[in-house]
Amino acid sequence: MAKVSMIEREKKRQALVDRYAARRKELKAIARNTELPMDERFKAQLKLAKLPRNSSATRLHNRCEVTGRPKAYYRKLRMSRIALRDYASNGQIPGMVKSSW
């Protein structure tokens, strides 16, 4: 089980990303538009830099929803390999069985 503080930090980051997504998208569009004057684009870039650092989507890290583990994460199932194995061994995932040969 991951530290509760790390899980909460990730939730806080996700909330910031959701809150600032629209504003960040608008400012990026202005900054990338080559038809606009250079000073307007520069002002948009400065406003973008003033936004909270954790409001960027690249700051997020995938975590297992069961255990909070940050490594060995399966995107499709949104859980780690260890949690997946436990659920499969207990028969909680339909169609998944432990292999043996």
Side-chain angles (χ1 to χ4, degrees):
M1 190 73 181
K3 289 173 74 173
V4 176
S5 62
M6 296 303 287
I7 295 170
E8 291 303 316
R9 184 183 300 169
E10 204 62 37
K11 286 179 185 176
K12 187 178 174 184
R13 281 185 183 143
Q14 183 63 53
L16 275 173
V17 168
D18 294 341
R19 187 186 323 159
Y20 287 98
R23 191 175 308 161
R24 195 171 267 281
K25 189 175 180 181
E26 290 170 9
L27 289 173
K28 278 189 175 185
I30 293 169
R32 289 181 180 158
N33 189 354
T34 56
E35 295 174 2
L36 293 174
M38 193 62 163
D39 60 334
E40 230 178 286
R41 293 172 59 199
F42 187 67
K43 285 179 186 176
Q45 192 68 36
L46 289 176
K47 286 181 184 177
L48 191 62
K50 288 192 183 233
L51 292 179
R53 185 173 281 179
N54 282 333
S55 68
S56 174
T58 59
R59 302 276 292 192
L60 293 175
H61 198 284
N62 292 328
R63 284 188 172 272
C64 174
E65 289 191 357
V66 179
T67 61
R69 182 180 164 88
K71 297 180 180 181
Y73 176 85
Y74 289 109
R75 287 183 184 175
K76 191 171 185 179
L77 301 170
R78 296 168 56 182
M79 64 173 58
S80 68
R81 65 178 176 82
I82 296 170
L84 177 67
R85 186 162 188 250
D86 287 342
Y87 275 63
S89 295
N90 294 332
Q92 295 176 337
I93 300 177
M96 188 172 282
V97 292
K98 185 177 173 187
S99 67
S100 61
W101 61 90

